[in-house]
Amino acid sequence: MKINLSKITKNGKAIYLAYDQGLEHGPEEFNDKNANPLYIIDIAKKGKYNGVIFQKGIAEKYKKEIKKSKVPLILKLNGKTRIYKGEPYSPPLGTIQEAVNLGAAAVGYTIYIGSEHEGKMFKEFEKIEKEAHAKNIPVVAWIYPRGKYVKDDVSRAMMAYAARVGLELGADIVKMKYGDNLSDLKWAVKAAGRTKIVISGGAKVNEKDFLKQVKDIMKSGAIGIAVGRNIWQSNNPLELTKKMRKIIFG
Ligand code: FBP
């Protein structure tokens, strides 16, 4: 099924501002400024992001401001904390109907391939995807190889596997991790076929390293980045966004 991605891309490219870390990592990732979702909405708006990623709670409580910002909402429909250290499982936390009610332009869903619970996540993803596509809502799948059987989640084989699983399952965009080897990433992009790839930002690094990563992403054929900490933990998120935009959109 061909889903229209025009609401969450520009000239086939995309930058998304990810802010589901409050659930995934806990508020230890935040400071006085970026603990406030309004700060994030402001960056997303002024930085002209093609999407801002929130869990349902923030999307509901800040609905008015998100709508006013005109930044497309990508509603994350599952998630977990990192307190439990067992085999990873991300349960569904919201529905497509809720995404529609919140005005979401797309939905996001995490699958940990390789986990003992992989099958359950596949099944739950399938339901979400079917309902989303019936309403022409794009599905962004966070595909992260993880669990005790995964030795190196960003090896050439694992990156390509993550990308390919996205294509096989029918995701419109796969959000995946990058291990700093451009040729591996190019192979992963190939493995994804017509499913598009965006790369996860990762933990904060210095500006030079971050922008090098963005350059690699664009050389690989991926369509862009879904970044959180490197932007909203930066002292100057809009300056950095400008530099990132220049690389992505030219
Ligand atoms: P960052 O740019 O901050 O790494 O965000 C990307 C992201 O995928 C978030 O959407 C998510 O909360 C987080 O990373 C999950 O990271 P992990 O599962 O590796 O802890």
Side-chain angles (χ1 to χ4, degrees), residues 20-21 24-25 142 144 146 175 177 200-202 227-229:
D20 57 337
Q21 292 82 351
E24 300 287 333
H25 299 161
W142 280 223
Y144 295 163
R146 203 162 285 181
K175 174 174 181 313
K177 304 224 181 219
S200 203
V227 54
R229 290 166 289 178

Side-chain angles (χ1 to χ4, degrees), residues 23-84:
L23 176 66
E24 300 287 333
H25 299 161
E28 76 186 39
E29 301 264 286
F30 300 149
N31 59 29
D32 273 355
K33 264 190 191 170
N34 61 33
N36 185 348
L38 292 176
Y39 181 69
I40 305 301
I41 296 168
D42 192 55
I43 298 173
K45 179 179 175 212
K46 292 184 178 148
K48 300 193 190 93
Y49 280 78
N50 306 104
V52 62
I53 299 162
F54 291 131
Q55 284 282 354
K56 180 172 76 178
I58 291 183
E60 280 171 359
K61 297 242 177 335
Y62 296 82
K63 187 176 175 187
K64 201 176 76 196
E65 289 86 352
I66 297 168
K67 192 169 174 211
K68 201 167 156 222
S69 77
K70 297 205 164 72
V71 180
L73 168 66
I74 301 177
L75 189 70
K76 190 77 202 305
L77 288 182
N78 68 342
K80 64 160 189 56
T81 72
R82 66 171 165 198
I83 301 169
Y84 173 68

